[in-house]
Each structure stands twice: as structure tokens, then as C-alpha cells.
Amino acid sequence: MAGEKRDEGAEEVPFGRTKGVLGLIAGVALVAFALLLSFGLGSSQASAERAFQAAVPCGGPSSAGERPEDDCLRVEEATVQKVREETVGKNTTREVDLLGPGPGTERVFFRGSHPVFSVLQPGDRVRATVWRGRVVELSAGTRRQATEAAPIGDSGETTVVAIVVSCVGVAMLGYGWWVFGLGRRSRTRTFWAALGLAALTLGTVVATAGP
């Protein structure tokens, strides 16, 4: 309308207040999920990784008394029963069925093919390293390869996911706050600075919680 003046940089609320409410709800849920990942799963994985790295061979001087029996590293002979590699889309499953070290057949999974999985054949004799009741490493001759049960790197992967989720959550909260706090006014530099600071702060908290 003639005579009306619109503030430079002003923006209409793009999706209305309903989407603002949904943004706030989604933001809170994502931030809570990120904190749960970091303080819950990430911390547990980091603790398991430290325990695994400190584990000693069973029967050693430090394996009795102060440490549970399952926390030591037990090496047992096993026989390869089946080797299977299957690719579906971008995901590849690599699994080996072992006869021993426990009763019956145990299935172990690998993230990569080298250096052990690629050379295994049914009937091969291998050495299985068992920690807390699970095969964490397989050895064939001089070759050794960790299985997916080995808790190495899991906490780092969880932390990365938690940081990404937390940043998305902060963005959703920022959108919802803008809808209800700023309405039709433009998003100023202060708004973006506050949003970036909130994301950085939460990301730092999440990153330092797991390890």
C-alpha cells in the first residue's frame, strides 16, 4: 500500500507459528537426544575402551584379584566354519562363523576385509582373542584384525553424531525462538551470533562429555 514503509531486511515468518512450535519441540528433542548420546552411550563406550586398552592376558599377575576374570584377554583356538561377505547398497556385511572358542558356533563381524578376513577359508584354524565374553580379535598366522566387538573408536563415532545432532537441535530452537521472539523483524547479527555461540557451547559440552 502506498505510504507504508517496510523495514529493510525485514522478513515474513516463512511457515507460521505452527512450524515455530514444531521447531521448538524438535529442537528440544534433538538437544536432549544429543546429551543422552554423549553422557550416556558415549561415556559408557569410552569407559569400555579404556578398560579394553588396559586389559592384560589371562593368567598374568594383574588379572587376578583386583580385576574380574572377563576383563582379561583370553586367546583360544577356533575353526572357521563359514565366511560370508554381502553388499546391499552402500553397506557391506562381513561375517565369520567360528567353531569355538565357546560352546557351539559363534558369529563375528568385521568392518573391513584386510588383513585377516580376506584370506579366511572354511576349515582354517585361527586364534580368537576373547574379552568380556566376545571375540574382539582374530589372528591367522602373523595377521591380526579387530572385530566389530572391539570397543575401539566407538566413543569417537558417537561423539561426532552427537555434535551434529546438537547443532541441528540448536538451529531448530533458533528458528522457533525467532518466530515467537522476533516475529516479522529481521534476523540481526546479534541473533546469528547468539545462535552460533549456543551451538558452539553445546557442541563443546557434548564433545567433552563422552571421552
Side-chain angles (χ1 to χ4, degrees):
M1 182 182 295
E4 288 188 359
K5 184 177 179 181
R6 187 169 179 262
D7 291 339
E8 185 179 354
E11 298 185 26
E12 298 288 336
V13 177
F15 301 109
R17 295 187 178 275
T18 300
K19 290 296 179 68
V21 172
L22 294 177
L24 289 174
I25 294 174
V28 171
L30 288 173
V31 169
F33 180 60
L35 293 175
L36 178 63
L37 278 178
S38 185
F39 285 92
L41 181 60
S43 295
S44 175
Q45 290 173 333
S47 177
E49 185 172 341
R50 288 191 295 267
F52 177 65
Q53 291 174 334
V56 298
C58 293
S62 298
S63 65
E66 70 274 16
R67 298 192 183 196
E69 179 65 20
D70 280 350
D71 270 348
C72 66
L73 300 172
R74 186 174 71 257
V75 179
E76 297 189 9
E77 296 290 329
T79 302
V80 176
Q81 295 290 294
K82 180 180 178 182
V83 180
R84 187 174 74 92
E85 183 173 14
E86 181 179 357
T87 299
V88 178
K90 296 183 179 180
N91 298 319
T92 300
T93 301
R94 303 175 182 89
E95 60 185 44
V96 175
D97 288 346
L98 300 175
L99 181 59
T105 302
E106 181 171 356
R107 179 166 296 173
V108 297
F109 296 88
F110 294 88
R111 291 187 175 92
S113 297
H114 301 286
V116 173
F117 179 84
S118 59
V119 301
L120 292 179
Q121 298 291 334
D124 287 349
R125 293 288 292 173
V126 294
R127 296 182 306 279
T129 301
V130 181
W131 182 72
R132 293 186 176 178
R134 303 184 68 185
V135 176
V136 294
E137 184 180 85
L138 220 57
S139 302
T142 59
R143 304 179 185 215
R144 303 166 57 188
Q145 184 176 352
T147 70
E148 287 191 357
I152 300 298
D154 292 343
S155 62
E157 295 175 359
T158 299
T159 298
V160 170
V161 173
I163 291 175
V164 173
V165 171
S166 68
C167 290
V168 175
V170 169
M172 298 299 292
L173 286 173
Y175 172 76
W177 177 79
W178 173 63
V179 169
F180 288 98
L182 295 179
R184 296 175 181 272
R185 288 183 291 168
S186 61
R187 285 169 283 188
T188 63
R189 293 180 180 177
T190 302
F191 171 82
W192 290 116
L195 190 62
L197 181 60
L200 178 62
T201 301
L202 183 60
T204 301
V205 171
V206 168
T208 55

